[in-house]
Amino acid sequence: MSLNSTPSADRVHIGIFGRRNAGKSSIINAITGQNLAIVSDTKGTTTDPVLKAMELLPLGPVVLIDTPGLDDEGALGKLRIEKAYQVLNKTDIALLVVDSSVGMTKEDEKILAKIRDKNIPYLVVYNKCDILPKMNSTTDYAISVSASAGTHIHELKERIAALAPQSTDSPPIVRDLLKPNDFVILVVPIDASAPKGRLILPQQQTIRDILEAGAISIVVKDSELKETLTTLGKNPALVITDSQAFKEVSKVVPESIPLTSFSILFARHKGDLGTVANGAHAIEKLKDGDMILISEGCTHHRQCEDIGTVKIPRLLTKYTGKDLHFSFTSGVEFPSDLSKYQLIIHCGGCTLNEREMKYRLRCAKDQEVPITNYGTAIAHMNGILKRSLKPFNEFESSNFQ
Ligand code: SF4
């Protein structure tokens, strides 16, 4: 994806489900007008979910997710089916592709029940309708098309657009806290773990949101922060720091200036800041032998380097003085059974869409496992969680430490 395109997490995620040979890939090619998916007569060409970011008119920026066949066989096939079901957690619109000549099967019925269960807007797409010209299954929840003949593809795109989720009531990243011409200082340490030659996605998105507010962003390294505060001429409305530099930054920034972190801003924007802030207190209750799950939203660790796998475990072990055991997951993987964990620490989730982040928070809540994130956990261990939550009105009178 180019640097100028809509971040993946802000795109409508369209999951395409169905049995092998129902024509999922052909449907993707027909609605995009491009030869994107691998179409083959061999059953089961799609083995892992394949994500493609693109513009889909009349809807706009979307991510299409091509999933493995629901009737896959063998031990590997079972794993692939599990992956297809996991995709439901990030799906904003589901398309269930059914071969008209075969009709609805038990595999289709099973996933349809799950889609309905999760309240995901959906359409059953009866493909290959040209083989059975008299058949017309078009209803409120279904449409008959032929990907190969191009029949009703235009209507299908219109119906998909009509299912698009309305904008949510989640707060923006930061612009609601700012007035035009406010100064905001962003502290971005450039150490060995920072990616070469660029800012990471949460930093880019925050700068963009500050521009939306008509405010002014000043991006500095932690080593230049003190000098910047002295020479600025007026106090910034807010200082936003990378979580890793929290401790040092909080010493430099006077108490009178609001201070928070990128991951705290994203927890508020994505899901439930209250839950992850409360979850940080579970750190105090950890005992020898406890299991901690550290979960990252993307598989390319380059963006967050070794914060999750090295720095957080080290900090947590040192802070608690306990013998803790860590498990790690990344990307779409998120265990459905969380019962063996005493705490979950999640990354900022900048590449996860709101549906998936909320799903993970709900899983933890339902199984009564405390969940926190990198920023809130680090702020808690540095004794400045209360201060970093102060910029948000909803926490003003709360008891966060
Ligand atoms: S690990 Fe998490 S916060 Fe870091 S880039 Fe990936 S999704 Fe974003």
Side-chain angles (χ1 to χ4, degrees):
M1 197 187 308
S2 90
L3 274 181
N4 289 326
S5 57
T6 309
S8 174
D10 294 343
R11 293 167 175 261
V12 175
H13 285 52
I14 304 175
I16 295 133
F17 304 88
R19 284 155 50 96
R20 293 172 291 173
N21 260 17
K24 297 186 295 296
S25 302
S26 314
I27 291 286
I28 292 182
N29 289 345
I31 60 178
T32 59
Q34 297 172 39
N35 197 19
L36 282 172
I38 313 155
V39 186
S40 155
D41 286 339
T42 320
K43 275 188 176 187
T45 305
T46 310
T47 52
D48 263 337
V50 182
L51 280 72
K52 293 180 183 86
M54 61 179 316
E55 295 291 313
L56 183 67
L57 293 175
L59 189 53
V62 300
V63 173
L64 293 178
I65 312 173
D66 191 3
T67 63
L70 299 169
D71 57 338
D72 212 335
E73 289 157 350
L76 216 61
K78 207 173 150 225
L79 278 178
R80 289 182 194 137
I81 295 171
E82 266 173 37
K83 284 191 181 175
Y85 272 82
Q86 277 177 349
V87 167
L88 287 175
N89 300 330
K90 62 164 77 210
T91 295
D92 297 310
I93 298 173
L95 300 185
L96 174 60
V97 181
V98 174
D99 184 336
S100 296
S101 62
V102 177
M104 193 72 110
T105 64
K106 63 177 190 318
E107 290 93 355
D108 297 321
E109 296 282 5
K110 193 174 161 203
I111 197 150
L112 195 54
K114 259 280 184 283
I115 290 169
R116 288 183 180 135
D117 227 36
K118 287 178 176 280
N119 276 327
I120 301 171
Y122 71 91
L123 256 185
V124 180
V125 182
Y126 286 97
N127 190 25
K128 309 181 190 175
C129 73
D130 50 331
I131 300 174
L132 301 166
K134 289 208 177 102
M135 179 183 162
N136 185 355
S137 303
T138 300
T139 66
D140 280 354
Y141 298 103
I143 181 167
S144 288
V145 306
S146 165
S148 58
T151 316
H152 297 156
I153 296 301
H154 179 76
E155 289 82 348
L156 171 59
K157 284 160 57 171
E158 300 270 331
R159 297 276 301 269
I160 296 171
L163 293 176
Q166 301 308 310
S167 58
T168 65
D169 48 9
S170 291
I173 299 170
V174 68
R175 64 178 183 267
D176 57 324
L177 307 173
L178 303 173
K179 299 190 300 301
N181 299 318
D182 273 349
F183 281 123
V184 182
I185 298 182
L186 295 97
V187 187
V188 177
I190 307 282
D191 58 12
S193 66
K196 283 218 174 357
R198 64 182 170 88
L199 297 176
I200 62 172
L201 188 59
Q203 295 158 351
Q204 295 170 25
Q205 289 179 275
T206 307
I207 292 171
R208 172 60 206 257
D209 209 46
I210 293 169
L211 290 174
E212 294 272 352
I216 301 151
S217 36
I218 302 165
V219 186
V220 297
K221 288 186 291 183
D222 41 344
S223 47
E224 274 72 60
L225 176 60
K226 198 169 184 181
E227 177 69 16
T228 307
L229 285 168
T230 317
T231 52
L232 198 56
K234 71 170 187 178
N235 276 351
L238 183 64
V239 176
I240 306 166
T241 180
D242 183 282
S243 307
Q244 297 183 75
F246 238 142
K247 196 173 177 181
E248 292 68 33
V249 169
S250 75
K251 285 183 200 149
V252 175
V253 179
E255 281 286 338
S256 56
I257 298 175
L259 167 69
T260 195
S261 74
F262 291 102
S263 37
I264 287 176
L265 287 176
F266 273 80
R268 186 179 77 117
H269 175 54
K270 284 283 163 74
D272 188 341
L273 180 55
T275 304
V276 295
N278 271 323
H281 292 281
I283 292 173
E284 299 303 319
K285 298 187 190 125
L286 291 175
K287 305 180 299 301
D288 284 332
D290 277 354
M291 291 281 297
I292 320 288
L293 174 67
I294 298 196
S295 187
E296 299 206 323
C298 62
T299 43
H300 47 98
H301 289 274
R302 288 186 310 280
Q303 290 243 12
C304 280
E305 286 295 332
D306 52 3
I307 306 173
T309 48
V310 179
K311 291 179 184 163
I312 299 247
R314 198 164 51 204
L315 187 61
L316 205 57
T317 305
K318 190 168 168 219
Y319 178 82
T320 59
K322 307 289 180 204
D323 176 24
L324 304 172
H325 301 282
F326 296 92
S327 295
F328 303 91
T329 63
S330 56
V332 290
E333 273 176 74
F334 190 75
S336 47
D337 180 6
L338 300 167
S339 57
K340 65 177 174 192
Y341 301 109
Q342 279 67 47
L343 178 65
I344 301 162
I345 307 185
H346 206 287
C347 73
C350 71
T351 63
L352 298 181
N353 63 355
E354 191 181 324
R355 181 180 279 271
E356 175 138 36
M357 200 62 233
K358 287 203 161 141
Y359 161 79
R360 293 181 180 200
L361 291 168
R362 206 173 45 246
C363 280
K365 242 183 194 169
D366 289 351
Q367 297 179 52
E368 297 180 3
V369 181
I371 183 165
T372 185
N373 75 5
Y374 290 1
T376 44
I378 293 173
H380 175 84
M381 288 186 272
N382 287 324
I384 53 165
L385 182 55
K386 189 173 180 179
R387 179 175 183 193
S388 56
L389 293 174
K390 239 191 202 161
F392 315 109
N393 289 335
E394 60 266 41
F395 292 101
E396 257 176 8
S397 57
S398 69
N399 294 321
F400 292 105
Q401 296 307 308

